[in-house]
Amino acid sequence: QVQLVQSGAEVKKPGSSVKVSCKASGDTFNSYAISWVRQAPGQGLEWMGGIIPFFDTAHYAQKLQGRVTITADKSTKMAYMELSSLRSEDTAVYYCAILASGSAPFDPWGQGTLVTVSS
Amino acid sequence: SYVLTQPPSVSVAPGKTASITCGGNNIGTKSVHWFQQRPGQAPVLVISYDSDRPSGIPERFSGSNSGNTATLTISRVEAGDEADYYCQVWESSSDLLYVFGTGTRVTVL
């Protein structure tokens, strides 16, 4: 059973960048894709993008294209999500989640990382 | 882009049945997944591929999908079922690729 453990909460200034990490346990890191989903306070879930570590290929939601970069390190079983040019609207809990295939559900999820953007 | 519409809230008495709808254009042609999210916790998969129940999810949770509406049904509702519920689909023709519903807060009276 794969488990995902994310890095801790961050507080960032507007205009800066944040990089959130997600460590996978188990031997199946290269078999799946890892997606990132965020949730603003009191709001719903929003898919940001994902990566297939085996192929090192990433896809992004058009809305965030140019500001988000998702990477993976197969040797350490780590995935990363970097968001740049932060604004207050980026304040949210950021989750990583496993995606077994294109139409598969997100399962399991990391515990979430709160990113607060404030001056 | 593809839109999934859910009722903002559903209230149900303990022991009764809660039905949560997820409306989308021809959603019956897609695979729908449902997630439960308790306050302060990460989402948990409760129904996959329209009606499959993952290991550990009670039989009280069931799903269906046809036409323009998918439905999550919770039978014999318990206090612990109080949470937000989200539907989700893969929409390969959308710029979003993965679309979540607007979410439904289930309140147990």
Side-chain angles (χ1 to χ4, degrees):
Chain A
Q1 179 77 3
V2 178
Q3 287 190 312
L4 301 175
V5 178
Q6 299 181 221
S7 50
E10 304 259 14
V11 179
K12 294 293 183 180
K13 300 285 189 188
S16 66
S17 297
V18 68
K19 192 170 186 177
V20 180
S21 69
C22 172
K23 183 169 179 60
S25 65
D27 298 327
T28 54
F29 186 72
N30 289 333
S31 303
Y32 300 130
I34 292 183
S35 272
W36 290 86
V37 175
R38 70 177 180 177
Q39 185 173 37
Q43 302 301 308
L45 301 169
E46 178 187 20
W47 179 76
M48 301 177 66
I51 188 167
I52 305 174
F54 184 82
F55 296 111
D56 206 21
T57 55
H59 293 88
Y60 305 111
Q62 191 172 14
K63 170 185 174 182
L64 295 171
Q65 198 95 24
R67 285 210 301 139
V68 64
T69 303
I70 296 172
T71 57
D73 184 335
K74 293 186 285 290
S75 65
T76 58
K77 298 182 183 178
M78 296 282 288
Y80 302 91
M81 186 285 301
E82 184 169 22
L83 189 61
S84 62
S85 303
L86 289 170
R87 47 193 85 147
S88 59
E89 309 90 87
D90 295 317
T91 294
V93 176
Y94 290 76
Y95 296 99
C96 60
I98 291 287
L99 196 64
S101 66
S103 62
F106 298 104
D107 183 48
W109 297 58
Q111 83 276 19
T113 297
L114 174 62
V115 175
T116 303
V117 183
S118 173
S119 55
Chain B
S1 59
Y2 194 74
V3 176
L4 295 175
T5 303
Q6 299 180 233
S9 62
V10 167
S11 297
V12 59
K16 300 299 185 182
T17 298
S19 294
I20 305 163
T21 58
C22 175
N25 187 37
N26 289 322
I27 195 174
T29 64
K30 307 178 189 303
S31 290
V32 179
H33 312 302
W34 290 91
F35 300 90
Q36 175 194 68
Q37 186 180 33
R38 294 189 173 104
Q41 297 186 19
V44 172
L45 179 68
V46 293
I47 291 289
S48 62
Y49 299 103
D50 298 342
S51 58
D52 290 345
R53 216 174 30 254
S55 174
I57 300 301
E59 290 183 11
R60 301 183 298 102
F61 288 81
S62 62
S64 63
N65 183 19
S66 178
N68 292 316
T69 305
T71 303
L72 173 69
T73 302
I74 311 173
S75 306
R76 301 180 300 283
V77 166
E78 302 176 354
D81 299 331
E82 190 161 281
D84 294 327
Y85 292 83
Y86 295 90
C87 57
Q88 178 257 313
V89 300
W90 175 47
E91 176 49 43
S92 57
S93 64
S94 169
D95 61 333
L96 259 185
L97 278 187
Y98 295 96
V99 182
F100 288 93
T102 49
T104 299
R105 170 70 54 88
V106 170
T107 300
V108 181
L109 301 171

